Amino acid sequence: MKKTFKGGVHLLEENFLVSSKTIVDMPLCPIYVLPVHQHVGTPCKPIVRQGDVVKKGQQIAEPAGYVSVAIHAPTSGKIKEIGPKIHPLTGRKSLSVVIESDGKDEWVDGLPLNRDPFSIGREKLVTMIQSSGIVGLGGATFPTHVKLSPSKEKKIDTLIINGVECDSHVADDHRLMVEHPEAVISGAKVIMSILGLNRSIIAIGKNKPDAIAIIREKVPPEIQLEPLEVKYPQGAERQLIKTLTGRDTPSGGLPMDIGCLVHNAGTCAAIWNAAAYGIPLIERITSVTGHGIVEPKNIRVKIGTLLKDVIEFCGGIKNPAKILFGGPMMGIAQYSLDVPVIKGTSGIVVLTQDEVSKSSYTACIACGRCVDFCPMQLNPSMLSRLGEKSMWEKALNFNLLDCIECGVCSYICPSNRPIKHFIRHLKTLEREAKSLYGK
Amino acid sequence: MTLLAAALLGGIGLVCALVLGVAAMTFAVEMDPREKLVLDLLPGANCGACGYAGCAAFAHALLENPETEMVCPAIHENDVKKISEILERKLASLGGMIASVCCKGTVKDVADNYIYEGPLECRAAQLIAGGSKACAYGCLGLGTCEQVCPFDAIHIGEDHLPYVDKEKCTGCGKCVIACPRHIIRLAPFDLPKCEVRCISKDSPKEVKKICSTGCIGCMACEQVCPFNAVTVMKNSAARITHTKCTGCGLCVKVCPVDVIESVIELKKASILKDKCNGCSICSQVCPVDAPKGELKNPYTIDEAKCMGCGICIDKCPKKAIEKRL
Amino acid sequence: MENKLTVSSSPHIHTPEDIPWIMRQVIYALIPGALIGVYFFGIPAIKVILLSVFMCLGVEALTQKLIGKPITIRDGSAAVTGLLLAMNMPSGSAWWLVMLGACIAIILGKQVYGGLGNNPFNPALVARVFLLIAFPVQMTTWPQPRVFPLSLADTTTGATPLGSLKTAIFTYGKIGDSGNIALMDPFLGNIGGSLGEISALALIVGGIYLIMKKIISWHIPVVYVATVFVLTCLFWIINPGMYASPFLHITCGGLMLGAFFMATDMVTSPITNRGKIIFAAGCGIITVVIRLWGGYPEGVSFAILIMNGLVPLINRYTQPIKFGGVK
């Protein structure tokens, strides 16, 4: 039987723009901007002051709480300013540390190390992952150490390495698996040793035959390789687990509840770098692509690099209509070129005027396509109608909170209705009402 | 045949009426007759601002629980008195409130950061990169306040800013809660005489850059106000203490960005010739130099200059100045 | 940057399959049926089709202009309504009948409810039923099929197979010989009837095209036709003298047109597949009841309209079961 899940769409594939381009290092930039809130959870607290001199890899902000991770200096230089800068996720100003590079790019004392991560011990590895600032690099930026510390009652039996990369355009995980397969596999082994597992699955989309071939060659017997059908949102946690194990994540529950854990391929490589070499998360691989970019590239970019520097490195933009952080299905549109690349920036996609639909939306014609394609089997049509009237209480009866915001409904809607936007609006109203009345 | 049909239909009607009548009597719910009276006095818009599920629920609560306060913000004071009489206990009215919009930045005054696409709903637009208006505090102008108003009392004007219809606004506060930019405030109905139409907390430099009518904290209003009613704090738009403000409008005149507006029209002063002894105190206290005349002779007020602040009325030793009717 | 960027909620790409695309596909799918009508009924059929389509477009543009709404004739829904209406009328219909029908369809069937997406009933069917009740003679004067008659003159008129059945039952109390017709004729279209309903084959071809393009799902047409087939089969076995063969029932009349093109109208059919099955079964039952025991020879239009009215109720009780929810 073909392994898949119910719902989902086949997107027009645009990955070819970058999928065969070798990862190149982005040269040093004069300025790096690091927002203190780059992960899901509590923003971290800056521990440096204006004028301080920092080295590459030095911690500049410490976690403020359990669901919070550290932030490190991406290069050596001076702290120019600690103040509000535009945040790429919210579009509003948020506290950021600005580093002026000294051009030397010197490591902090003692880095990089060379050690055997399997001799460190579980507890220490998990603390090390938190202090290395590692978060889910697929875009959700959930702190990794939290996922690696399941409560005792919840027995994890399956680790899934997510190399599906189902959004169109971006190919950062693809290139990572092709060029650094051993980092991904070794990272997976570190996670397995932390959780005491002896088996895991690595899932790769069938549109990446070169990655599948290389991983198949390198993969040890305890890791099982699963090429998966190309379909969006195949890379979403619940859909991936359903496809690979047949287990349904309960509504309102976590993959942990059914013994599964999903980690992105990029996260595995970051864990390996931190565990074996002591290198914190200060750079990531990002696909800079789209028909609006002159030279699409896969770049290894330091966290905090400004968008305008990245664009300049990639030859500039032509006829841009939208600049996205992330793929077109999940990405966040930017309005300013002064925003920094952050930990969750898996891609920078520039869409041209012709690719962006300008027509406004019309009434729902009840065609039911959103219902057919919804991977969560909700009724987006109804939710969008309720969203138009801001009726969040009624929307709760239509499983509002189960929506994973994959955006398939908005993509498929013939009336061009921004269904996902309506759903986000309803969810925000629900959250505000809850915090107001404490229901 | 016709007779039979008429008799048949009439019969059915009679039977149905009897059944309905009996049912109404048997299943009648005991209701305090006062509840109906109270309900009739409530505004009846079922806006929910009281926290109950509509006016009927609130009326029921007023009767059932003697500790229920008069929390309806929309009711008229006279009606509160009538309800107090019906319930035979003293209810304090919340006082007539009215919504007031604190932003003057039209599309011409404030640039947009980007072209917004999506539902025309301020709260939804706010989710996407914080709203398209360059000012993070200004009105988004998509009309959520208009949509939520149960009294049809707030409308988006042609300049994409909301305007409150004073006749219709009851001060229920729905728009205040709905506005994602929190630019709508409730104020006692008759109190505000001047209002600062800006709540920006950006630095003056930033405000100047993005908005041509935002408060730039120049302090001119604070310095000119004869009643100490205006305060300007660092990185915050000027605020008027309504209890001190007399509505003289001096601040409105001096404001370089036109962000302060007079809410009410004041009556100008006039001097009673037979009482005035020409002491000249009025011309000394007048902030705009309106009284004219020569010492020891009756003064006159230059109407073009007088703003009706009423300072001279208080200071005149002969009580020779009055507000014009 | 000289131009401002656009910012909206993700997703930032959109399927090319928008409403105009869907309506275009529906028109393509209707073309075989319409061509068969033109083949058998000639120039008058072309006149009815053109008049109906352009009248619907015109009326839609005019009403939207008068109400002060954006004009949306480019989405193609008015053209589809016009084509469906033409295919539901006798080919010899007078010009005023067609124009009146177009006005009813667009104004009473659609715009009074707020335009496309808000109409509870299929606009073309509203117009057809209105005309059928208001002008029963004109709406049941069926020109007989001839192989592309070039003359513009009046053609001979006759009854439809279902009409003959009804007449036989009313006159003799049994169907007699009227049920014995060569089944190939209604299958290919060589019978009397509305302009676009005569050929089951052409309509099935168009319907299969729509199913392949995923514009309609198989649930409504298959369940609808199957329900009619099973029920008529049951009565035919019980009493072949009173009830005609199920094959005649599924090939004759407006069943194929209704099942593939009218009942599947997105706006007026249920949203989930479970709902669609209930809806189609209901349409089938009502159609059979009207055909076998009702005063009208044909019941497809009434059946679909009645079930259209029940769609909100069906939708309410057939919500999809969410992922990870109780099975």
Side-chain angles (χ1 to χ4, degrees):
Chain A
M1 209 184 82
K2 200 162 72 175
K3 285 194 170 179
T4 186
F5 61 97
K6 207 173 157 191
V9 286
H10 297 275
L11 300 176
L12 192 66
E13 287 199 34
E14 298 272 7
N15 316 44
F16 65 89
L17 282 171
V18 282
S19 59
S20 57
K21 299 244 167 84
T22 322
I23 300 167
V24 287
D25 284 309
M26 171 99 188
L28 267 186
C29 299
I31 293 285
Y32 291 91
V33 176
L34 296 127
V36 294
H37 200 184
Q38 300 193 25
H39 48 262
V40 175
T42 329
C44 51
K45 221 165 60 207
I47 51 170
V48 286
R49 285 206 202 142
Q50 193 174 346
D52 284 0
V53 173
V54 291
K55 290 278 167 64
K56 184 179 177 179
Q58 182 182 333
Q59 192 170 328
I60 54 170
E62 64 181 8
Y66 179 59
V67 189
S68 181
V69 296
I71 288 170
H72 304 79
T75 186
S76 58
K78 212 168 79 182
I79 306 291
K80 194 182 163 206
E81 189 190 341
I82 298 175
K85 296 278 166 207
I86 303 172
H87 193 285
L89 297 188
T90 60
R92 285 178 236 189
K93 294 198 168 164
S94 105
L95 187 67
S96 308
V97 180
V98 183
I99 298 177
E100 192 172 27
S101 163
D102 60 6
K104 292 180 207 146
D105 206 22
E106 279 173 341
W107 280 105
V108 70
D109 289 341
L111 282 185
L113 310 160
N114 207 345
R115 61 182 173 192
D116 177 18
F118 299 100
S119 62
I120 297 177
R122 280 184 207 180
E123 312 273 293
K124 249 182 149 182
L125 270 174
V126 173
T127 338
M128 188 258 338
I129 284 169
Q130 181 178 18
S131 64
S132 298
I134 295 175
V135 295
L137 292 182
T141 64
F142 191 77
T144 302
H145 67 276
V146 181
K147 273 167 114 180
L148 291 178
S149 326
S151 60
K152 288 219 172 67
E153 313 87 72
K154 287 169 188 164
K155 186 91 190 79
I156 303 291
D157 54 35
T158 313
L159 170 69
I160 298 170
I161 307 301
N162 184 353
V164 175
E165 206 161 52
C166 52
D167 210 336
S168 71
H169 288 77
V170 292
D172 57 314
D173 286 346
H174 181 182
R175 289 314 300 175
L176 176 76
M177 289 185 292
V178 170
E179 292 179 41
H180 305 284
E182 59 293 317
V184 176
I185 291 167
S186 313
K189 280 189 193 155
V190 173
I191 299 175
M192 284 160 74
S193 81
I194 291 173
L195 295 169
L197 297 176
N198 47 21
R199 200 180 77 91
S200 68
I201 308 173
I202 179 162
I204 305 178
K206 275 185 186 159
N207 56 346
K208 309 173 188 27
D210 46 349
I212 293 173
I214 289 173
I215 295 282
R216 177 163 287 145
E217 205 176 291
K218 307 259 177 182
V219 82
E222 67 265 30
I223 301 181
Q224 176 193 345
L225 173 71
E226 282 281 2
L228 292 181
E229 201 200 341
V230 184
K231 190 163 140 189
Y232 180 86
Q234 180 66 75
E237 233 169 27
R238 284 151 202 262
Q239 279 63 34
L240 190 60
I241 294 170
K242 173 80 184 162
T243 310
L244 292 172
T245 67
R247 297 179 204 172
D248 278 344
T249 313
S251 162
L254 289 169
M256 244 178 224
D257 300 335
I258 47 164
C260 290
L261 197 58
V262 181
H263 279 287
N264 178 267
T267 316
C268 293
I271 288 174
W272 176 247
N273 276 341
Y277 309 111
I279 300 174
L281 184 63
I282 55 166
E283 57 185 19
R284 66 159 297 142
I285 294 160
T286 294
S287 294
V288 188
T289 178
H291 293 286
I293 207 105
V294 177
E295 294 168 40
K297 277 177 186 167
N298 288 302
I299 56 171
R300 187 174 286 109
V301 59
K302 290 185 164 47
I303 310 290
T305 311
L306 292 182
L307 175 58
K308 58 182 177 194
D309 292 328
V310 175
I311 285 173
E312 198 187 328
F313 178 62
C314 295
I317 42 180
K318 52 187 184 196
N319 192 18
K322 275 186 184 177
I323 300 183
L324 314 175
F325 269 22
M329 291 302 283
M330 292 293 285
I332 289 157
Q334 306 297 321
Y335 63 87
S336 161
L337 295 186
D338 291 323
V339 292
V341 169
I342 56 169
K343 289 177 180 174
T345 312
S346 58
I348 296 171
V349 179
V350 182
L351 298 177
T352 59
Q353 298 286 355
D354 333 326
E355 287 170 287
V356 177
S357 75
K358 278 270 171 2
S359 60
S360 53
Y361 63 93
T362 50
C364 171
I365 58 164
C367 64
R369 296 189 145 210
C370 51
V371 178
D372 291 343
F373 288 104
C374 177
M376 294 302 286
Q377 281 91 57
L378 307 179
N379 187 345
S381 151
M382 194 62 186
L383 289 172
S384 86
R385 289 175 195 219
L386 292 171
E388 258 175 316
K389 302 190 182 73
S390 306
M391 292 162 77
W392 61 270
E393 280 154 311
K394 206 163 177 204
L396 290 178
N397 301 335
F398 291 92
N399 307 321
L400 170 71
L401 301 181
D402 283 282
C403 173
I404 57 168
E405 299 182 23
C406 64
V408 164
C409 46
S410 303
Y411 174 81
I412 206 74
C413 180
S415 293
N416 203 10
R417 291 168 71 77
I419 303 177
K420 175 171 161 186
H421 195 161
F422 281 129
I423 291 177
R424 285 177 62 190
H425 170 51
L426 288 171
K427 279 185 172 177
T428 315
L429 290 180
E430 191 266 348
R431 209 164 39 234
E432 274 169 7
K434 226 186 209 168
S435 67
L436 211 62
Y437 303 115
K439 273 189 214 172
Chain B
M1 190 69 184
T2 329
L3 219 65
L4 182 72
L8 207 64
L9 276 177
I12 294 171
L14 206 66
V15 172
C16 289
L18 274 173
V19 171
L20 277 177
V22 171
M25 274 190 275
T26 358
F27 300 112
V29 181
E30 276 298 314
M31 196 173 112
D32 194 330
R34 294 178 302 166
E35 194 169 323
K36 176 90 177 48
L37 294 174
V38 172
L39 182 56
D40 287 345
L41 287 168
L42 289 171
N46 294 321
C47 70
C50 54
Y52 295 90
C55 294
F58 180 51
H60 188 71
L62 276 172
L63 279 145
E64 284 294 298
N65 184 358
E67 273 164 32
T68 315
E69 300 276 339
M70 175 45 75
V71 284
C72 174
I75 192 168
H76 198 273
E77 213 149 320
N78 291 339
D79 292 334
V80 178
K81 273 187 202 142
K82 282 184 198 159
I83 293 178
S84 300
E85 283 163 21
I86 294 168
L87 299 179
E88 289 160 359
R89 64 188 167 96
K90 187 89 189 97
L91 285 168
S93 141
L94 281 181
M97 302 287 264
I98 190 167
S100 138
V101 181
C102 296
C103 177
K104 256 194 102 185
T106 62
V107 242
K108 279 183 204 145
D109 296 313
V110 195
D112 273 352
N113 272 339
Y114 54 85
I115 305 159
Y116 167 71
E117 257 179 39
L120 300 181
E121 221 280 353
C122 303
R123 287 170 291 187
Q126 173 91 348
L127 295 177
I128 307 300
S132 65
K133 210 166 206 170
C135 172
Y137 302 91
C139 172
L140 289 169
L142 299 176
T144 292
C145 45
E146 187 175 337
Q147 287 157 25
V148 299
C149 180
F151 300 97
D152 191 36
I154 191 163
H155 294 281
I156 297 288
E158 279 183 7
D159 53 3
H160 298 280
L161 286 179
Y163 290 94
V164 178
D165 185 337
K166 283 189 183 169
E167 298 291 311
K168 288 181 181 168
C169 179
T170 60
C172 70
K174 284 223 141 179
C175 52
V176 177
I177 297 169
C179 178
R181 292 290 175 104
H182 309 296
I183 56 163
I184 309 180
R185 289 189 192 143
L186 284 183
F189 189 81
D190 48 354
L191 212 44
K193 299 184 178 74
C194 290
E195 194 77 271
V196 183
R197 301 275 185 226
C198 181
I199 56 158
S200 174
K201 288 185 178 62
D202 279 332
S203 66
K205 209 173 132 196
E206 183 76 15
V207 173
K208 214 169 191 172
K209 211 165 74 187
I210 55 179
C211 180
S212 61
T213 185
C215 176
I216 50 172
C218 66
M219 320 270 291
C221 46
E222 187 176 320
Q223 283 157 11
V224 80
C225 182
F227 312 101
N228 284 332
V230 196
T231 41
V232 183
M233 287 201 285
K234 193 172 175 266
N235 285 354
S236 171
R239 275 196 171 232
I240 293 177
T241 312
H242 293 313
T243 45
K244 288 185 185 170
C245 176
T246 63
C248 71
L250 276 177
C251 49
V252 179
K253 280 207 174 143
V254 296
C255 180
V257 289
D258 275 343
V259 72
I260 313 181
E261 279 182 357
S262 276
V263 180
I264 51 166
E265 193 82 8
L266 284 180
K267 288 175 187 132
K268 299 190 172 178
S270 78
I271 297 176
L272 304 168
K273 272 191 187 147
D274 42 339
K275 280 194 183 172
C276 176
N277 64 356
C279 68
S280 89
I281 289 177
C282 52
S283 69
Q284 287 159 33
V285 296
C286 180
V288 288
D289 234 7
K292 284 273 168 323
E294 285 175 24
L295 270 178
K296 312 248 165 133
N297 284 322
Y299 273 62
T300 50
I301 302 271
D302 182 349
E303 274 191 38
K305 285 185 178 170
C306 177
M307 307 167 308
C309 68
I311 299 179
C312 54
I313 297 174
D314 293 341
K315 297 279 163 156
C316 180
K318 292 283 168 195
K319 307 261 182 264
I321 313 180
E322 286 183 340
K323 293 229 166 173
R324 212 169 255 227
L325 295 172
Chain C
M1 255 179 317
E2 65 278 27
N3 289 327
K4 283 196 186 93
L5 293 165
T6 306
V7 173
S8 67
S9 172
S10 58
H12 304 283
I13 45 175
H14 195 260
T15 170
E17 300 175 1
D18 52 1
I19 294 179
W21 181 86
I22 289 175
M23 295 299 169
R24 260 201 315 278
Q25 305 308 312
V26 177
I27 291 175
Y28 294 158
L30 281 169
I31 283 175
L35 279 182
I36 297 284
V38 170
Y39 179 74
F40 282 112
F41 299 123
I43 307 285
I46 301 180
K47 264 167 43 188
V48 169
I49 292 175
L50 290 182
L51 190 59
S52 174
V53 169
F54 285 106
M55 192 64 197
C56 279
L57 289 171
V59 172
E60 171 137 304
L62 194 70
T63 26
Q64 285 176 332
K65 181 117 189 155
L66 288 179
I67 310 171
K69 279 188 158 190
I71 292 173
T72 58
I73 53 169
R74 279 169 170 274
D75 69 14
S77 62
V80 169
T81 303
L83 188 53
L84 278 175
L85 176 66
M87 292 175 74
N88 269 300
M89 294 183 78
S91 63
S93 300
W95 59 270
W96 55 269
L97 196 66
V98 180
M99 287 173 80
L100 182 66
C103 292
I104 299 289
I106 297 296
I107 300 172
L108 280 186
K110 199 159 108 180
Q111 292 301 341
V112 287
Y113 298 107
L116 179 68
N118 301 316
N119 48 314
F121 301 105
N122 188 323
L125 281 181
V126 169
R128 180 189 140 87
V129 166
F130 178 91
L131 295 177
L132 187 64
I133 295 169
F135 305 99
V137 178
Q138 287 88 338
M139 284 299 285
T140 48
T141 306
W142 315 106
Q144 286 302 90
R146 294 184 296 173
V147 175
F148 200 69
L150 282 169
S151 70
L152 294 174
D154 286 347
T155 51
T156 50
T157 57
T160 63
L162 290 175
S164 317
L165 283 180
K166 260 286 127 61
T167 320
I169 297 231
F170 283 149
T171 333
Y172 311 112
K174 55 179 189 201
I175 55 170
D177 284 346
S178 58
N180 297 335
I181 59 164
L183 281 175
M184 241 7 220
D185 282 345
F187 190 64
L188 293 175
N190 193 14
I191 50 165
S194 290
L195 198 162
E197 70 178 24
I198 47 173
S199 168
L201 175 67
L203 293 167
I204 291 172
V205 167
I208 288 174
Y209 175 76
L210 285 189
I211 292 174
M212 274 165 56
K213 284 277 174 188
K214 292 192 175 159
I215 288 165
I216 61 174
S217 70
W218 56 267
H219 301 82
I220 290 179
V222 170
V223 175
Y224 193 169
V225 174
T227 312
V228 171
F229 185 84
V230 169
L231 286 179
T232 49
C233 191
L234 210 67
F235 288 103
W236 179 62
I237 292 169
I238 294 169
N239 188 355
M242 271 295 283
Y243 304 108
S245 113
F247 293 103
L248 185 137
H249 273 290
I250 63 165
T251 49
C252 290
L255 182 64
M256 286 299 167
L257 184 63
F260 280 103
F261 295 98
M262 314 291 277
T264 55
D265 172 31
M266 292 169 165
V267 181
T268 57
S269 62
I271 204 159
T272 60
N273 290 339
R274 282 188 299 145
K276 283 173 185 162
I277 291 172
I278 296 170
F279 172 81
C283 286
I285 292 167
I286 298 172
T287 305
V288 171
V289 167
I290 294 176
R291 278 190 181 180
L292 298 189
W293 302 291
Y296 281 96
E298 174 58 307
V300 172
S301 312
F302 294 104
I304 297 175
L305 280 180
I306 290 168
M307 290 310 288
N308 280 167
L310 291 177
V311 163
L313 203 63
I314 297 174
N315 271 342
R316 170 172 285 211
Y317 290 106
T318 55
Q319 283 301 316
I321 297 162
K322 67 181 176 185
F323 180 95
V326 191
K327 282 272 157 83

